Amino acid sequence: MNIFVYFESNPEFFLFSVFLLSLLVGSFLNVVIYRIPIMLKREWKADCIGFLSDELDQKEFNPEQYAHHINEETFNLSVPRSRCPSCGHKITALENIPVLSWLFLKAKCSQCQSSISIRYPIIELSTALLSVLVAYYFGVQWYTLALLVLTWTLIALSMIDFDTQLLPDNITLPILWLGILLSVLGISSISLMTSVIGAIAGYLILWFVSQIFKLVTKKDGMGGGDLKLLALLGAWLGWQALPLILFLSAFVGAIVGISLIIFLGRDKNIPIPFGPYLASAGFISLLWGEQIKQFYFNLAGI
Ligand SMILES: [Zn+2]
């Protein structure tokens, strides 16, 4: 393919293209992160109302009382257009350029001057930088494109979990299957067996951990989304990556969790989302897993 040859002979241009593309993707991720949880909650609400009106009679449950929850205006990833949350001003194309618009608007809505969170450009910029890192490590090949999709997924999942303590199935499951498919097609660098065992082991390890946690504390400590996220990482990176991912996420999670409790006085009964730690541990072991293992083996003198 021509573009591949061109990219290979112009690596800087390749990285720059990935950077620009990923800035745009980062802007889309902002939409995904904000809207998917709202879309899910609407769906659940409608399901609950439907279920209760089937189960209970009119006296106990009058569905008309809840009709306004079902007949809300259309809301998905493309409709309605993005608006300023304060004044409802519709964001124009010029105001929607990743990072640059935020800088030119000086972090303020052009109509009502209310401030726009720095989180949006930060997510755009981190998406672009992490993507360039992946492109740099893996070079010009189809597998790199797949790994970019994985990177974008991990960013979206981390932020959604951070905001809402949800890891939506409609993101984790398709990407889990995609990981296995890439092994079937021989695009990914790991064998089908490694990928399938990775998915199974990823799920079951955390399932055992969560069951034991439940037995000991009589509380649900870990959401089902975490199990599926580790299955996803196992499918993409192979079962051999799982020990490192678990170690890194538990390590970072413990440090952040303990510092939150000590320094911010956070109530230790408030659940801390585990998804962002799993996702970052997965990303780290994708890029540096081999080096970290080598370093550890050298330390241990093996
Ligand atoms: Zn406004």
Side-chain angles (χ1 to χ4, degrees):
M1 212 179 177
N2 260 336
I3 185 99
F4 273 43
V5 178
Y6 185 75
F7 274 155
E8 254 162 13
S9 45
N10 297 280
E12 292 85 8
F13 181 72
F14 170 60
L15 294 181
F16 186 65
S17 312
V18 169
F19 182 81
L20 286 187
L21 170 74
S22 312
L23 270 184
L24 293 175
V25 172
S27 176
F28 176 66
L29 290 185
N30 276 321
V31 177
V32 169
I33 292 163
Y34 177 68
R35 292 195 180 190
I36 293 265
I38 297 178
M39 287 158 59
L40 280 178
K41 284 175 187 168
R42 284 186 170 208
E43 234 175 80
W44 294 335
K45 237 193 282 176
D47 284 349
C48 289
I49 294 168
F51 174 74
L52 288 177
S53 48
D54 287 347
E55 283 294 299
L56 305 175
D57 63 42
Q58 283 270 336
K59 262 185 222 147
E60 287 174 295
F61 182 82
N62 180 6
E64 264 161 38
Q65 243 182 307
Y66 299 89
H68 62 281
H69 284 299
I70 297 177
N71 304 322
E72 286 169 310
E73 58 170 10
T74 312
F75 187 89
N76 55 41
L77 288 181
S78 54
V79 179
R81 283 252 312 273
S82 298
R83 286 182 209 149
C84 165
S86 304
C87 70
H89 161 65
K90 282 193 183 134
I91 314 287
T92 63
L94 255 186
E95 292 168 352
N96 209 6
I97 304 167
V99 184
L100 291 181
S101 292
W102 187 84
L103 289 173
F104 282 130
L105 292 167
K106 300 200 177 70
K108 286 189 176 78
C109 168
S110 64
Q111 293 297 309
C112 70
Q113 309 295 317
S114 65
S115 61
I116 307 171
S117 167
I118 192 172
R119 194 180 127 149
Y120 299 107
I122 286 181
I123 287 178
E124 287 159 356
L125 211 55
S126 347
T127 305
L129 292 176
L130 295 176
S131 303
V132 166
L133 211 55
V134 169
Y136 174 77
Y137 267 84
F138 291 90
V140 182
Q141 50 168 331
W142 282 114
Y143 187 43
T144 304
L145 184 62
L147 291 177
L148 289 179
V149 172
L150 175 67
T151 306
W152 302 333
T153 304
L154 293 178
I155 295 171
L157 287 175
S158 300
M159 293 312 298
I160 291 175
D161 196 19
F162 179 76
D163 286 346
T164 63
Q165 254 110 74
L166 292 172
L167 287 167
D169 281 352
N170 58 7
I171 301 178
T172 44
L173 296 182
I175 301 298
L176 189 167
W177 296 123
L178 179 65
I180 295 177
L181 179 67
L182 290 167
S183 308
V184 173
L185 298 175
I187 293 174
S188 92
S189 56
I190 61 171
S191 73
L192 177 58
M193 191 64 120
T194 309
S195 167
V196 171
I197 295 178
I200 297 171
Y203 191 93
L204 288 183
I205 291 170
L206 283 192
W207 182 81
F208 273 115
V209 172
S210 65
Q211 294 302 313
I212 290 170
F213 185 86
K214 220 174 176 176
L215 268 179
V216 175
T217 65
K218 311 263 183 275
K219 275 188 293 195
D220 269 320
M222 196 169 284
D226 296 320
L227 282 60
K228 288 169 235 171
L229 176 55
L230 192 61
L232 180 163
L233 292 171
W236 279 76
L237 308 179
W239 59 267
Q240 297 92 335
L242 293 175
L244 181 63
I245 293 174
L246 280 171
F247 172 75
L248 283 177
S249 51
F251 185 69
V252 179
I255 290 180
V256 175
I258 291 170
S259 5
L260 278 180
I261 291 166
I262 293 177
F263 295 111
L264 296 178
R266 195 185 161 114
D267 184 352
K268 62 180 185 309
N269 289 319
I270 297 176
I272 296 169
F274 196 46
Y277 303 121
L278 281 177
S280 13
F283 186 77
I284 290 170
S285 50
L286 168 69
L287 290 181
W288 300 291
E290 278 316 305
Q291 282 99 314
I292 296 174
K293 269 184 215 161
Q294 217 49 56
F295 176 75
Y296 176 76
F297 288 150
N298 287 343
L299 267 189
I302 304 171

